[in-house]
Amino acid sequence: MAAAVASTSQPAQDPALNAPHQEGNSKKKDKKAKDAGSAHPLELDPRPEYFDHRIKIFEKLKAEHDEWVKNQPRQEIAITLPDGSQRKGTSWETSPMDVAKEISKGLADRVVIAKVDGNLWDLERPLEGSCSLELLDFEHPEGKRVFWHSSAHVLGEASERHYGCHLCIGPPTDDGFFYEMAIEDRPVVNSDYPALEKVADLAIKEKQKFERLVVPKEMLLEMFGYNKYKKYIIETKIPDGTSTTVFGCGPMVDLCVGPHIPHTGRIKAFMVTKNSASYFLGDANNDSLQRVYGISFPDKKQLTEYKKFLEEAAKRDHRKIGKEQELFFFNDLSPGSCFFLPHGTRIYNTLIELMRSEYFKRGYQEVISPNMFNNKLWETSGHSQNYQDGMFTLDIEKEKWALKPMNCPGHCVIFDSRDRSYKELPIRMAEFGIIHRNEASGALTGLTRVRRFVQDDTHVFCMPQQIEEEIAALFDFMQHIYGLFGFDFHLELSTRPDNYLGTIETWDAAENQLKGALEKFYPGKWEVNPGDGAFYGPKIDITIRDALRRAFQCATIQLDFQLPERFNLKYRSADEGSADPGRPPARPVIIHRAILGSLERFIAIITEHFAGKWPFWISPRQVLVVPVAAPYREYASEVADKLSKGGLYVDVDNGENTLPKKIRNGEIAQYNFILVVGQDELDTRSVNVRNRDDVGTKARTETLPLDVITEKLLALKSNRSLHNKLE
């Protein structure tokens, strides 16, 4: 069996671009791909016995279901469309697809899935009564997920037909889909991709229908008795005496809640993108599995565009740029922990300086708390019970300790270090704390998933009546910071998870507070993400989009009534002297807040967002001074020294290369400005300015006095402009 994947700290080698594929390669490449492949046949012959076993049970149950539907009473129903118009139909006969066809053939061809009374519904599934109806295409987020979920089934069918594997789970993702499988006798390799794509293409050309059935638990165990992974899911997730759905599609029958597209022929472009190893249910104690990823589209042009996107993303890969610009590196002596080189440290420190400057303006107090705590702290906070697997623990002098995975418990200790009055609140406690989280080695990915990182972490201790004002201030803070990088953002309210602490009443109150703030400041511009809150409180997750329109969750605003209770935090209220002695103490509410989030991850995001062409204020290489010949080296050094003393990052190239070579090297290194000096510049105490973003300028450019260019460069840094332009 394959082992879990190793850390990908090196620049990505994208199999979707570099691996062989069924289509899109020249004949010469096809021949080479065939030679590189193994001797495995396209499909197993004979095919595994479980195919016929599943189909036999499915067809029997399908016949019974069809007969049951046939006997359901028919009656006229009203179908209400989003514009308020109504259409007539017949219960147990009229389907969403019938309605789509009535509206237009174009809509019927384009629509992917339906929503009936707010619930996703298969297009060919008959409506059971009067209802509201929405028809969603691939461009709708829910439509896209359904399309990719159905495509995962096609990948699963291809994998069963090619490998004879036992399938586990096959969900859609934010950028495609995957299927996890157990294969006994061989690993998945890149040269398998053409075979998987060919078998998938055969399934697509057959226009195999997705057929839905509700099946009792005992029958499910019989249907999937050959597959220990499906059996485990059935036994643990489906209560005795209940049923769930399966979907048949060609020879494939799979445990699945659905819904799905009408048939496989809707998929016009299909590509296997990569493979990796994984563990069943993500637990390293379970069997090691193999995971195959894919992407699909309803139009071949979209796949072509997607490949162009991958090419651009590969050029922008922060691991590639980090290596080229000597910003950072990783070493197996400390997996998941970044070594920042001098130029990378400049970016890191500039981000911290940015946040510190805002902290000073916005009334924050910076603190420093320990990196390691006795486990008693984590038992009090609830992390020991709810976050144990994510922590690095140590045994010291017969006691259990842990490196902190979060700053909040330490800040509670600081708040409780002395008596507090309501007059002090809110206390906005900030820390650039070093965090350690025990991420699986296979999950480590450059700077985006690490074990050691620093957060721009803040905890606001406030009175309940101050919550709305504090959240408004956080929204303003967030908008200002993201605006400096040219990011727009999307807001989600993540609500109570299954492993929540505290009472439902407290959670409801906290969620309502956040809903009120969102609706006041961003009416209609936020969504609910059910069940994804932290175990101690609901949160607002803020997702930013980069230059390639990729989404990243960085900022978070979490409302916490639990930690103040667990740490017995309190403050003296205004009416404490006259209050009922039996009344509970006044407790602060904690607002957890991060804007950049992990600095490491944020650096990865902005590296790719700017493609290594840094805005001047955050650039690790701001100015390069180049003398036209040896006699002007002293003046070049003088210019560099003056600018450096002003607080700019300046280098001087007094080497032996030719002038054109020096300028070209400076351009490749992404210096924002190259200042050329010769006799004229020496005589007039000036510099000749070349702007990185004035692409293709070969002629002599603007000459400015040294004092003027110094003033302009310092102003550009101070203004934190996105544009590399001197005013």
Side-chain angles (χ1 to χ4, degrees):
M1 300 294 282
V5 292
S7 168
T8 52
S9 58
Q10 296 300 314
Q13 302 296 316
D14 197 329
L17 294 174
N18 302 321
H21 291 281
Q22 183 201 355
E23 297 178 0
N25 296 317
S26 67
K27 291 182 180 179
K28 183 176 180 181
K29 285 186 178 178
D30 284 342
K31 184 175 186 301
K32 185 177 179 181
K34 184 178 180 182
D35 292 341
S38 66
H40 295 287
L42 188 67
E43 296 192 54
L44 296 180
D45 187 18
R47 66 185 185 181
E49 293 180 358
Y50 60 71
F51 277 89
D52 293 333
H53 169 76
R54 290 184 315 208
I55 290 171
K56 184 178 178 181
I57 296 174
F58 185 87
E59 288 180 345
K60 177 180 178 293
L61 295 174
K62 181 71 166 58
E64 293 173 359
H65 174 75
D66 290 346
E67 186 63 26
W68 180 81
V69 171
K70 183 179 175 182
N71 293 323
Q72 295 308 300
R74 272 43 175 181
Q75 60 186 34
E76 184 178 277
I77 59 173
I79 304 162
T80 306
L81 300 178
D83 63 1
S85 64
Q86 286 194 339
R87 292 181 179 260
K88 300 298 182 184
T90 303
S91 62
W92 298 102
E93 285 185 6
T94 303
S95 70
M97 180 58 82
D98 293 329
V99 178
K101 288 177 179 176
E102 282 183 16
I103 296 172
S104 75
K105 183 179 184 301
L107 176 62
D109 291 341
R110 190 176 73 251
V111 68
V112 168
I113 200 67
K115 256 188 160 181
V116 175
D117 291 334
N119 299 308
L120 291 172
W121 193 275
D122 301 271
L123 286 168
E124 301 282 8
R125 180 181 169 189
L127 300 170
E128 298 170 10
S130 295
C131 61
S132 63
L133 175 67
E134 292 179 76
L135 299 168
L136 312 179
D137 62 14
F138 180 78
E139 298 308 317
H140 189 283
E142 289 181 289
K144 189 169 291 181
R145 286 188 68 81
V146 168
F147 190 92
W148 283 341
H149 187 188
S150 300
S151 301
H153 279 242
V154 174
L155 175 60
E157 178 185 331
S159 300
E160 286 189 333
R161 289 166 66 174
H162 181 66
Y163 297 115
C165 58
H166 285 184
L167 297 176
C168 300
I169 58 171
T173 66
D174 291 339
D175 52 4
F177 50 89
F178 69 79
Y179 226 116
E180 236 171 30
M181 61 200 75
I183 309 174
E184 291 186 1
D185 56 351
R186 58 187 278 205
V188 177
V189 293
N190 288 7
S191 55
D192 293 344
Y193 295 2
L196 291 171
E197 290 169 350
K198 176 63 176 175
V199 179
D201 191 47
L202 294 173
I204 289 167
K205 287 178 178 176
E206 290 174 4
K207 296 185 178 180
Q208 298 170 352
K209 290 185 66 176
F210 282 91
E211 297 181 299
R212 177 181 182 272
L213 272 183
V214 179
V215 181
K217 180 175 181 176
E218 59 273 16
M219 191 63 72
L220 291 170
L221 290 170
E222 181 183 346
M223 180 181 283
F224 295 101
Y226 67 92
N227 184 327
K228 69 177 183 179
Y229 306 105
K230 298 290 186 186
K231 280 183 66 180
Y232 180 85
I233 293 170
I234 294 166
E235 289 168 347
T236 58
K237 302 295 183 183
I238 302 169
D240 292 342
T242 65
S243 304
T244 193
T245 50
V246 299
F247 277 80
C249 181
M252 166 89 157
V253 180
D254 201 10
L255 184 70
C256 178
V257 296
H260 286 286
I261 59 178
H263 59 78
T264 57
R266 289 297 187 93
I267 302 168
K268 302 301 182 186
F270 182 100
M271 182 174 73
V272 177
T273 56
K274 63 180 178 178
N275 66 277
S276 69
S278 63
Y279 296 111
F280 180 52
L281 303 179
D283 187 340
N285 296 314
N286 291 338
D287 287 358
S288 183
L289 305 173
Q290 302 195 61
R291 185 180 286 184
V292 180
Y293 294 80
I295 191 76
S296 63
F297 298 98
D299 188 326
K300 289 184 178 180
K301 291 179 182 177
Q302 290 170 298
L303 180 58
T304 301
E305 293 169 359
Y306 177 74
K307 289 179 179 178
K308 290 179 181 176
F309 163 81
L310 289 180
E311 290 172 359
E312 181 60 29
K315 292 176 188 174
R316 292 170 176 257
D317 190 315
H318 72 278
R319 293 163 290 188
K320 173 178 176 288
I321 293 171
K323 185 176 182 180
E324 292 170 349
Q325 297 190 3
E326 296 186 355
L327 303 178
F328 56 81
F329 70 92
F330 290 85
N331 189 288
D332 288 341
L333 292 173
S334 185
S337 301
C338 182
F339 291 78
F340 278 95
L341 296 167
H343 288 88
T345 303
R346 290 176 177 180
I347 297 169
Y348 201 96
N349 287 340
T350 301
L351 289 174
I352 291 177
E353 288 163 9
L354 165 66
M355 298 305 294
R356 278 200 172 120
S357 68
E358 291 297 323
Y359 287 167
F360 183 78
K361 299 173 191 174
R362 297 171 186 268
Y364 285 75
Q365 304 174 50
E366 194 172 338
V367 299
I368 300 173
S369 63
N371 283 347
M372 185 172 69
F373 288 92
N374 189 289
N375 202 54
K376 294 172 185 175
L377 177 90
W378 307 115
E379 289 172 352
T380 301
S381 69
H383 286 82
S384 184
Q385 302 91 310
N386 293 279
Y387 202 75
Q388 184 71 37
D389 292 343
M391 297 169 68
F392 286 101
T393 57
L394 307 91
D395 290 316
I396 300 174
E397 297 180 349
K398 298 182 181 180
E399 290 198 74
K400 192 173 181 181
W401 297 68
L403 297 177
K404 65 179 177 184
M406 300 176 187
N407 290 309
C408 35
H411 290 187
C412 289
V413 173
I414 292 174
F415 182 91
D416 199 39
S417 62
R418 66 169 175 80
D419 184 47
R420 301 285 180 179
S421 165
Y422 74 97
K423 295 178 181 178
E424 296 178 69
L425 303 183
I427 295 174
R428 305 181 186 99
M429 199 178 295
E431 179 175 11
F432 296 103
I434 297 172
I435 303 295
H436 288 86
R437 293 184 184 171
N438 191 10
E439 301 284 359
S441 61
L444 302 177
T445 310
L447 288 174
T448 59
R449 197 75 174 265
V450 291
R451 287 174 171 164
R452 184 269 187 203
F453 58 96
V454 168
Q455 284 185 317
D456 66 318
D457 215 1
T458 290
H459 297 95
V460 179
F461 296 82
C462 65
M463 294 182 283
Q465 60 268 35
Q466 295 172 323
I467 290 174
E468 185 175 299
E469 183 180 354
E470 287 303 305
I471 290 179
L474 293 178
F475 284 154
D476 178 75
F477 196 171
M478 177 185 70
Q479 283 184 299
H480 173 69
I481 295 297
Y482 287 161
L484 293 175
F485 298 94
F487 291 134
D488 56 15
F489 56 87
H490 173 74
L491 300 139
E492 286 186 339
L493 173 62
S494 297
T495 57
R496 185 177 67 248
D498 292 336
N499 65 332
Y500 69 93
L501 297 178
T503 65
I504 290 179
E505 292 76 16
T506 301
W507 273 85
D508 287 345
E511 288 174 7
N512 288 333
Q513 290 256 26
L514 293 183
K515 285 177 184 176
L518 283 166
E519 200 52 40
K520 179 174 182 178
F521 297 103
Y522 297 98
K525 297 179 181 179
W526 58 279
E527 296 177 2
V528 175
N529 183 15
D532 202 41
F535 64 86
Y536 48 77
K539 58 180 180 171
I540 298 171
D541 286 325
I542 297 94
T543 303
I544 60 175
R545 289 195 176 274
D546 70 0
L548 295 182
R549 308 308 298 158
R550 296 173 298 182
F552 301 94
Q553 195 259 303
C554 289
T556 184
I557 298 171
Q558 302 174 3
L559 203 54
D560 187 353
F561 291 86
Q562 307 302 327
L563 282 185
E565 189 80 33
R566 295 177 75 90
F567 279 91
N568 193 29
L569 303 184
K570 49 190 179 292
Y571 61 88
R572 285 182 284 106
S573 61
D575 59 350
E576 186 169 300
S578 59
D580 179 1
R583 194 179 74 173
R587 297 204 188 281
V589 178
I590 298 178
I591 303 174
H592 303 247
R593 183 243 70 186
I595 293 179
L596 304 182
S598 154
L599 264 69
E600 283 75 0
R601 186 166 179 268
F602 194 78
I603 289 171
I605 293 168
I606 60 176
T607 301
E608 298 184 4
H609 179 58
F610 295 124
K613 297 183 72 170
W614 301 96
F616 185 78
W617 68 273
I618 198 173
S619 176
R621 294 176 174 87
Q622 294 172 326
V623 179
L624 177 66
V625 187
V626 178
V628 300
Y632 310 108
R633 290 176 180 173
E634 185 178 343
Y635 180 55
S637 297
E638 181 187 338
V639 171
D641 186 57
K642 179 177 177 63
L643 295 175
S644 294
K645 286 179 178 177
L648 301 176
Y649 295 131
V650 187
D651 295 310
V652 59
D653 189 345
N654 276 332
E656 299 301 325
N657 287 326
T658 63
L659 177 62
K661 179 66 172 173
K662 290 179 179 181
I663 291 174
R664 181 59 186 149
N665 287 344
E667 291 171 342
I668 292 171
Q670 298 296 341
Y671 282 91
N672 297 72
F673 295 95
I674 299 175
L675 308 183
V676 181
V677 295
Q679 187 62 50
D680 289 347
E681 288 76 24
L682 175 60
D683 292 341
T684 59
R685 306 288 297 169
S686 62
V687 295
N688 183 251
V689 183
R690 289 174 180 262
N691 187 326
R692 178 196 65 193
D693 293 351
D694 291 341
V695 180
T697 301
K698 300 297 181 186
R700 185 179 177 87
T701 51
E702 182 181 20
T703 298
L704 293 174
L706 182 54
D707 289 341
V708 172
I709 188 66
T710 302
E711 182 181 332
K712 287 179 177 288
L713 289 172
L714 291 175
L716 182 60
K717 178 184 177 182
S718 175
N719 293 338
R720 296 195 176 104
S721 172
L722 283 171
H723 306 292
N724 206 54
K725 187 176 180 181
L726 298 174
E727 299 293 346

